Amino acid sequence: MNMLIKNGRVMDPAQKIDNVLDVLVGDGKIKEIKPKIEDSSSTVIDALGKIVIPGLIDVHTHLREPGHEEEETIATGTRAAAHGGVTSVLCMPNTHPPLDNAPAVEFVLLKAQKEGLVNVFPIGCITKGSAGAELAEIGVLKKAGVVALSDDGNPVTDSLIMRRALEYTKMFGLAVISHCEDKSLSKNGAMNEGYAAMLLGLRGIRRQSEEIMVSRDIMLAELTGGHLHVAHVSTAGSVELIRQAKAKGINVTAETCPHYFALTEESVKGYNTNTKMKPPLRSAKDVEAIKEGLTDGTIDCIATDHAPHTEEEKNKEYDLAPFGIIGLETLLGLVVTELIEKKVLTWPEAVAKMTANPAGIFGLTGRGTLQPGSIADITIVDPDKKYSYTEKDFLSKSKNSPFIGRSLRGKADTTIVGGKIVWSAKEGIKQY
Ligand SMILES: [Zn+2]
Ligand SMILES: [Zn+2]
């Protein structure tokens, strides 16, 4: 049966569309977009007062399965995504076992097909076991279905291996996603190094720990011509390095995460371990630079770095708690509240960073747009919805969010994957 989404403000940055239009969906694809479509055979969704956008693509999700199903599974992680308006996730390979071989990648794809509510695109390891010593079999991983490579959670410390990774991935048209951290500088640190850390008596993580690696990786991208994608950019210095690299024509793209524009190191006061992540929350000056990087296009994507941890794991002294926070369900609200409402980005600019740009960077053909013929992954947004989360509102298995209780604006009203509603404000999760 066809689906007809009527009267919504349709926004598709890939086609430069921002207009009140109707969208006709059939056979899992976008069939037509134009004013006033009539189709008596369709189920009609009235989107009056809502914004109809391509389904959001999160390029940085930790689904934790296989290996840490107590934190998250493919089933629960993709439910959280659907609730957040995210129709595709790129999942990081630092599972147990890690996604450094074809059977592991195939396991995730099969499980996602059976139990996943949204599209799952696995990222493969750069090195075997993410151990940094030996390149994984990149051709085999590509054939198994990975859309990028990353040792996320760890940097690739050995520069020669990073060089080889950028060289080989070039042949396969894959990006290398770099978790930029010089561990000799960040060792034992729990938060951003500076006055706040001193007052709190916590050991610091110097900004140079990130920037040295961003700088090295840009140089290696220049040397090899390989595609470097910098994960979770958090400092003013990193933004500036990427800006200069792009101006020189180096093949580099970048993402930041909502917590790097919505929070500063000041939030660590009170020692809430849900303010502990890597890289750490930085200063107000860094937040301003991140926003500038988003505005001028230096930062291409907004990703979540959704990193679930159980209450037991997080309920420790600040120094001992693991790094990471969940983010799939707060992504849209934080982008609307902190970037669109505060005029850092326009609606179409913000939407592009979560749809067209990720699809383009990672070669997800037929996604990230509402162009007729493309896959009907659609998010209908209620831009005026005001809300705040309590722990029990999250569909993620873990609740480690620093945004519990925070006033947000803008929420997914309906999430559609391949032409099927998987979540709606009215009916909640829909399983097929
Ligand atoms: Zn990382
Ligand atoms: Zn990560």
Side-chain angles (χ1 to χ4, degrees), residues 91-104:
C91 63
M92 281 297 175
N94 61 338
T95 48
H96 299 276
L99 308 186
D100 66 353
N101 62 84

Side-chain angles (χ1 to χ4, degrees), residues 232-301:
H232 41 53
V233 172
S234 78
T235 77
S238 297
V239 174
E240 186 50 31
L241 285 164
I242 295 161
R243 184 179 286 128
Q244 286 170 10
K246 284 189 165 187
K248 280 171 85 177
I250 299 168
N251 194 0
V252 55
T253 53
E255 78 197 26
T256 191
C257 314
H259 37 284
Y260 301 121
F261 56 73
L263 295 172
T264 68
E265 59 191 350
E266 295 295 315
S267 309
V268 180
K269 283 178 185 167
Y271 301 96
N272 177 353
T273 55
N274 292 337
T275 60
K276 184 177 178 184
M277 73 287 289
K278 246 185 194 174
L281 297 173
R282 306 286 187 181
S283 70
K285 209 177 121 246
D286 293 298
V287 167
E288 280 318 301
I290 294 289
K291 288 179 176 175
E292 278 164 30
L294 285 163
T295 305
D296 73 10
T298 300
I299 299 173
D300 305 272
C301 307

Side-chain angles (χ1 to χ4, degrees), residues 60-62 92 94 152-153 179 231-232 255 278 305-307:
H60 195 143
T61 304
H62 296 270
M92 281 297 175
N94 61 338
D152 186 53
H179 167 111
H232 41 53
E255 78 197 26
K278 246 185 194 174
D305 199 359
H306 179 84

Side-chain angles (χ1 to χ4, degrees), residues 113-130:
Q113 202 178 39
K114 282 209 308 232
E115 296 168 16
L117 209 56
V118 307
N119 310 301
V120 174
F121 295 100
I123 296 166
C125 295
I126 300 172
T127 64
K128 287 185 179 159
S130 275

